[in-house]
PDB file of all heavy atoms in Angstrom:
ATOM      1  N   LEU P 104      44.584  40.120 153.086  1.00 97.00           N
ATOM      2  CA  LEU P 104      44.137  38.806 153.585  1.00 97.00           C
ATOM      3  C   LEU P 104      44.899  37.701 152.863  1.00 97.00           C
ATOM      4  O   LEU P 104      45.331  36.717 153.487  1.00 97.00           O
ATOM      5  CB  LEU P 104      42.652  38.665 153.363  1.00 97.00           C
ATOM      6  CG  LEU P 104      42.014  37.325 153.746  1.00 97.00           C
ATOM      7  CD1 LEU P 104      42.227  37.053 155.229  1.00 97.00           C
ATOM      8  CD2 LEU P 104      40.544  37.289 153.353  1.00 97.00           C
ATOM      9  N   ALA P 105      45.063  37.843 151.518  1.00 95.00           N
ATOM     10  CA  ALA P 105      45.769  36.782 150.732  1.00 95.00           C
ATOM     11  C   ALA P 105      47.211  36.650 151.197  1.00 95.00           C
ATOM     12  O   ALA P 105      47.704  35.536 151.386  1.00 95.00           O
ATOM     13  CB  ALA P 105      45.678  37.088 149.244  1.00 95.00           C
ATOM     14  N   PHE P 106      47.878  37.782 151.345  1.00 95.00           N
ATOM     15  CA  PHE P 106      49.293  37.768 151.758  1.00 95.00           C
ATOM     16  C   PHE P 106      49.417  37.197 153.178  1.00 95.00           C
ATOM     17  O   PHE P 106      50.386  36.472 153.510  1.00 95.00           O
ATOM     18  CB  PHE P 106      49.926  39.167 151.728  1.00 95.00           C
ATOM     19  CG  PHE P 106      50.096  39.684 150.309  1.00 95.00           C
ATOM     20  CD1 PHE P 106      49.814  41.008 150.017  1.00 95.00           C
ATOM     21  CD2 PHE P 106      50.526  38.870 149.301  1.00 95.00           C
ATOM     22  CE1 PHE P 106      49.997  41.494 148.737  1.00 95.00           C
ATOM     23  CE2 PHE P 106      50.686  39.344 148.008  1.00 95.00           C
ATOM     24  CZ  PHE P 106      50.419  40.680 147.734  1.00 95.00           C
ATOM     25  N   PHE P 107      48.430  37.563 154.043  1.00 96.00           N
ATOM     26  CA  PHE P 107      48.432  37.062 155.437  1.00 96.00           C
ATOM     27  C   PHE P 107      48.329  35.535 155.446  1.00 96.00           C
ATOM     28  O   PHE P 107      49.039  34.860 156.196  1.00 96.00           O
ATOM     29  CB  PHE P 107      47.283  37.691 156.211  1.00 96.00           C
ATOM     30  CG  PHE P 107      47.098  37.138 157.597  1.00 96.00           C
ATOM     31  CD1 PHE P 107      47.977  37.485 158.620  1.00 96.00           C
ATOM     32  CD2 PHE P 107      46.068  36.260 157.858  1.00 96.00           C
ATOM     33  CE1 PHE P 107      47.825  36.966 159.870  1.00 96.00           C
ATOM     34  CE2 PHE P 107      45.881  35.737 159.109  1.00 96.00           C
ATOM     35  CZ  PHE P 107      46.754  36.093 160.144  1.00 96.00           C
ATOM     36  N   ILE P 108      47.438  34.976 154.643  1.00 95.00           N
ATOM     37  CA  ILE P 108      47.287  33.512 154.597  1.00 95.00           C
ATOM     38  C   ILE P 108      48.584  32.853 154.151  1.00 95.00           C
ATOM     39  O   ILE P 108      48.998  31.854 154.706  1.00 95.00           O
ATOM     40  CB  ILE P 108      46.115  33.172 153.609  1.00 95.00           C
ATOM     41  CG1 ILE P 108      44.783  33.604 154.223  1.00 95.00           C
ATOM     42  CG2 ILE P 108      46.114  31.652 153.321  1.00 95.00           C
ATOM     43  CD1 ILE P 108      43.603  33.464 153.281  1.00 95.00           C
ATOM     44  N   VAL P 109      49.232  33.434 153.118  1.00 93.00           N
ATOM     45  CA  VAL P 109      50.522  32.928 152.653  1.00 93.00           C
ATOM     46  C   VAL P 109      51.556  32.952 153.752  1.00 93.00           C
ATOM     47  O   VAL P 109      52.300  31.977 153.983  1.00 93.00           O
ATOM     48  CB  VAL P 109      51.024  33.693 151.425  1.00 93.00           C
ATOM     49  CG1 VAL P 109      52.428  33.294 151.030  1.00 93.00           C
ATOM     50  CG2 VAL P 109      50.065  33.516 150.241  1.00 93.00           C
ATOM     51  N   ASN P 110      51.625  34.099 154.478  1.00 94.00           N
ATOM     52  CA  ASN P 110      52.606  34.222 155.540  1.00 94.00           C
ATOM     53  C   ASN P 110      52.395  33.251 156.661  1.00 94.00           C
ATOM     54  O   ASN P 110      53.356  32.721 157.223  1.00 94.00           O
ATOM     55  CB  ASN P 110      52.579  35.664 156.097  1.00 94.00           C
ATOM     56  CG  ASN P 110      53.075  36.691 155.123  1.00 94.00           C
ATOM     57  OD1 ASN P 110      53.823  36.385 154.184  1.00 94.00           O
ATOM     58  ND2 ASN P 110      52.641  37.940 155.287  1.00 94.00           N
ATOM     59  N   MET P 111      51.140  32.993 157.004  1.00 94.00           N
ATOM     60  CA  MET P 111      50.809  32.091 158.079  1.00 94.00           C
ATOM     61  C   MET P 111      51.089  30.611 157.660  1.00 94.00           C
ATOM     62  O   MET P 111      51.482  29.800 158.481  1.00 94.00           O
ATOM     63  CB  MET P 111      49.356  32.215 158.525  1.00 94.00           C
ATOM     64  CG  MET P 111      49.053  33.477 159.282  1.00 94.00           C
ATOM     65  SD  MET P 111      49.929  33.536 160.906  1.00 94.00           S
ATOM     66  CE  MET P 111      49.101  32.241 161.797  1.00 94.00           C
ATOM     67  N   GLN P 112      50.894  30.324 156.389  1.00 92.00           N
ATOM     68  CA  GLN P 112      51.097  28.938 155.898  1.00 92.00           C
ATOM     69  C   GLN P 112      52.538  28.616 155.617  1.00 92.00           C
ATOM     70  O   GLN P 112      53.089  27.616 156.003  1.00 92.00           O
ATOM     71  CB  GLN P 112      50.216  28.669 154.686  1.00 92.00           C
ATOM     72  CG  GLN P 112      50.326  27.244 154.202  1.00 92.00           C
ATOM     73  CD  GLN P 112      49.529  26.969 152.952  1.00 92.00           C
ATOM     74  OE1 GLN P 112      49.515  27.757 152.009  1.00 92.00           O
ATOM     75  NE2 GLN P 112      48.841  25.857 152.952  1.00 92.00           N
ATOM     76  N   SER P 113      53.206  29.564 154.884  1.00 90.00           N
ATOM     77  CA  SER P 113      54.571  29.308 154.411  1.00 90.00           C
ATOM     78  C   SER P 113      55.639  30.043 155.223  1.00 90.00           C
ATOM     79  O   SER P 113      56.840  29.816 155.011  1.00 90.00           O
ATOM     80  CB  SER P 113      54.697  29.680 152.931  1.00 90.00           C
ATOM     81  OG  SER P 113      53.692  29.009 152.134  1.00 90.00           O
ATOM     82  N   GLY P 114      55.216  30.919 156.092  1.00 92.00           N
ATOM     83  CA  GLY P 114      56.162  31.719 156.835  1.00 92.00           C
ATOM     84  C   GLY P 114      56.544  32.968 156.076  1.00 92.00           C
ATOM     85  O   GLY P 114      56.314  33.100 154.882  1.00 92.00           O
ATOM     86  N   TYR P 115      57.115  33.959 156.803  1.00 91.00           N
ATOM     87  CA  TYR P 115      57.590  35.152 156.165  1.00 91.00           C
ATOM     88  C   TYR P 115      58.994  35.470 156.614  1.00 91.00           C
ATOM     89  O   TYR P 115      59.422  35.110 157.673  1.00 91.00           O
ATOM     90  CB  TYR P 115      56.625  36.332 156.490  1.00 91.00           C
ATOM     91  CG  TYR P 115      56.626  36.712 157.937  1.00 91.00           C
ATOM     92  CD1 TYR P 115      57.484  37.711 158.429  1.00 91.00           C
ATOM     93  CD2 TYR P 115      55.773  36.099 158.879  1.00 91.00           C
ATOM     94  CE1 TYR P 115      57.493  38.051 159.800  1.00 91.00           C
ATOM     95  CE2 TYR P 115      55.793  36.454 160.213  1.00 91.00           C
ATOM     96  CZ  TYR P 115      56.631  37.391 160.662  1.00 91.00           C
ATOM     97  OH  TYR P 115      56.653  37.763 161.992  1.00 91.00           O
ATOM     98  N   THR P 116      59.696  36.159 155.734  1.00 90.00           N
ATOM     99  CA  THR P 116      61.094  36.545 156.031  1.00 90.00           C
ATOM    100  C   THR P 116      61.081  38.029 156.447  1.00 90.00           C
ATOM    101  O   THR P 116      60.648  38.881 155.639  1.00 90.00           O
ATOM    102  CB  THR P 116      61.989  36.349 154.822  1.00 90.00           C
ATOM    103  OG1 THR P 116      61.471  37.041 153.704  1.00 90.00           O
ATOM    104  CG2 THR P 116      62.122  34.895 154.513  1.00 90.00           C
ATOM    105  N   ASP P 117      61.523  38.321 157.644  1.00 88.00           N
ATOM    106  CA  ASP P 117      61.613  39.679 158.036  1.00 88.00           C
ATOM    107  C   ASP P 117      63.049  40.229 157.849  1.00 88.00           C
ATOM    108  O   ASP P 117      63.875  39.603 157.179  1.00 88.00           O
ATOM    109  CB  ASP P 117      61.152  39.914 159.481  1.00 88.00           C
ATOM    110  CG  ASP P 117      61.906  39.070 160.498  1.00 88.00           C
ATOM    111  OD1 ASP P 117      63.055  38.731 160.207  1.00 88.00           O
ATOM    112  OD2 ASP P 117      61.339  38.754 161.562  1.00 88.00           O
ATOM    113  N   LEU P 118      63.365  41.356 158.423  1.00 91.00           N
ATOM    114  CA  LEU P 118      64.661  41.969 158.227  1.00 91.00           C
ATOM    115  C   LEU P 118      65.685  41.678 159.309  1.00 91.00           C
ATOM    116  O   LEU P 118      66.685  42.362 159.463  1.00 91.00           O
ATOM    117  CB  LEU P 118      64.457  43.525 158.060  1.00 91.00           C
ATOM    118  CG  LEU P 118      63.732  43.904 156.801  1.00 91.00           C
ATOM    119  CD1 LEU P 118      63.249  45.373 156.917  1.00 91.00           C
ATOM    120  CD2 LEU P 118      64.597  43.741 155.601  1.00 91.00           C
ATOM    121  N   ARG P 119      65.402  40.601 160.076  1.00 93.00           N
ATOM    122  CA  ARG P 119      66.397  40.120 161.057  1.00 93.00           C
ATOM    123  C   ARG P 119      67.237  39.014 160.405  1.00 93.00           C
ATOM    124  O   ARG P 119      66.715  38.177 159.674  1.00 93.00           O
ATOM    125  CB  ARG P 119      65.687  39.590 162.295  1.00 93.00           C
ATOM    126  CG  ARG P 119      64.966  40.629 163.066  1.00 93.00           C
ATOM    127  CD  ARG P 119      64.171  40.000 164.242  1.00 93.00           C
ATOM    128  NE  ARG P 119      63.167  39.097 163.689  1.00 93.00           N
ATOM    129  CZ  ARG P 119      62.623  38.110 164.382  1.00 93.00           C
ATOM    130  NH1 ARG P 119      63.056  37.854 165.637  1.00 93.00           N
ATOM    131  NH2 ARG P 119      61.695  37.330 163.878  1.00 93.00           N
ATOM    132  N   ILE P 120      68.530  39.049 160.688  1.00 93.00           N
ATOM    133  CA  ILE P 120      69.447  38.078 160.052  1.00 93.00           C
ATOM    134  C   ILE P 120      69.468  36.812 160.874  1.00 93.00           C
ATOM    135  O   ILE P 120      69.694  36.822 162.089  1.00 93.00           O
ATOM    136  CB  ILE P 120      70.883  38.683 159.921  1.00 93.00           C
ATOM    137  CG1 ILE P 120      70.783  39.906 159.051  1.00 93.00           C
ATOM    138  CG2 ILE P 120      71.857  37.663 159.398  1.00 93.00           C
ATOM    139  CD1 ILE P 120      72.084  40.731 158.988  1.00 93.00           C
TER     140      ILE P 120
END
Side-chain angles (χ1 to χ4, degrees):
L104 178 61
F106 292 139
F107 173 75
I108 291 171
V109 173
N110 292 337
M111 287 296 292
Q112 183 181 43
S113 304
Y115 65 92
T116 55
D117 58 26
L118 292 165
R119 293 174 298 158
I120 297 172

